[in-house]
Amino acid sequence: MGELLDILRRLSEAHGPPGFEDEVADIIVSELRGYVDGFVKDSLGNLIAYKGSGDKSLMLAAHMDEIALIVKSIDDKGFIRFAKLGGIWDQLLVGQQVIVHGSKGRVRGVIGSKAIHVMKDEERRQLLTYDKMFIDVGARSADEVKEMGIEVGNFITIDKRLVELANGLVAGKAFDDRAGCAALVQALKEAKPRCKVYAAFTIQEEVGLKGATVAGYAIKPTVGVAVDTTIAGDHPNIEPHEAPIKVGSGPVVVVADGRRDSLSGGLIPNPVVKRWIVKVAQERGIPIQFEVLEGGTTDATAIQLSREGVPSGVIAFPTRYVHTFQEVLNLRDLEKVVTLLVGLMEGEMPF
Ligand SMILES: [Zn+2]
């Protein structure tokens, strides 16, 4: 468990907003060197590690990007306004420490807002939207901000350390989907594949599954499987019927995902792939949870629709507070995801 935790820590604390994932890719390369047959980095920034040989190929995908912000404007007094990259609930942003990735390197800042003391009663009860927030880097003017190397279009990420909680739980940022990357890295280290495995560490998932779209086309796999977070509902203020998945109860096989209310735009996994994942889990003694995920999807959706179509599925790990900057998962679930991925790589493909 120690090794997996170390990889997760490195990847979670790294900074990889959509369109700027190189730091994450570099960590993955450093972890995997010597364990895979080679790497390819495509023109969009996807990192594809390959291992094994054979006529059939298995594409496993985990995305490197995280929800983030981008500099939208800088005012005369040196305060920065921003736009959001990915689905972020505005309330979570107030008071966060951030890093602005400028041309002269990283600049620390905080997300500021009006103090509660000066808010009218009505204001206190209202939700604060992101357009009423700003980033304070300590500058006194727009010129000073410019001097620091910051300009419109710079990426902004939240700065957060991973912490260990009781009972094998860990909390940190960007577990969506760095925990998927960590599981895939660990599985590649352990597996002796029976087919050609392409592990695609994809870019810009949070803004439209972009990396997986081109990687799926380039790889042209026999089968595609995405590894990503899913919503755990085992905490207050959410009912079991809304989110039945529990942290600590094992990996999740997603049986359908997509937009809330219609499940359109998502994935209905290939039934043979789904059965294969379940069979491998049973063979390796891994408990499985099944989920219909309304309100989200994964890279598997893009892989499925590449070329003439690729039989695809999703392996997920239960995560609390997804798309906050303090997601919580159980390392034992993630270890079981590793075992399951190893099982797929070493198993016989049903195609
Ligand atoms: Zn996400």
Side-chain angles (χ1 to χ4, degrees), residues 59-63 175-184 200 202 205 224-230 298-300 303 313-317 334 337-338 341 344:
M59 174 177 177
L60 299 167
H63 69 89
F175 287 177
D176 173 12
D177 187 23
R178 303 285 164 68
C181 294
L184 192 45
T202 60
E205 189 269 358
V225 176
V227 190
D228 211 333
T229 50
T230 198
T298 73
D299 276 344
I303 298 166
V314 182
I315 295 172
F317 42 89
L334 205 58
V337 169
V338 172
L341 291 172
L344 292 182

Side-chain angles (χ1 to χ4, degrees), residues 292-310:
V292 173
L293 174 64
E294 289 182 287
T297 193
T298 73
D299 276 344
T301 297
I303 298 166
Q304 181 193 40
L305 296 179
S306 62
R307 292 186 183 257
E308 299 90 353
V310 175

Side-chain angles (χ1 to χ4, degrees), residues 205-276:
E205 189 269 358
E206 297 290 0
V207 290
L209 315 178
K210 294 179 191 173
T213 302
V214 299
Y217 187 92
I219 292 169
K220 204 181 175 189
T222 314
V223 171
V225 176
V227 190
D228 211 333
T229 50
T230 198
I231 313 297
D234 56 346
H235 58 78
N237 299 338
I238 186 163
E239 297 295 324
H241 70 268
E242 291 177 277
I245 299 304
K246 291 187 183 67
V247 157
S249 296
V252 177
V253 172
V254 176
V255 291
D257 68 23
R259 278 196 281 279
R260 183 160 289 285
D261 302 327
S262 65
L263 290 176
S264 55
L267 180 83
I268 297 176
N270 178 289
V272 179
V273 174
K274 193 170 67 187
R275 279 199 295 274
W276 182 41

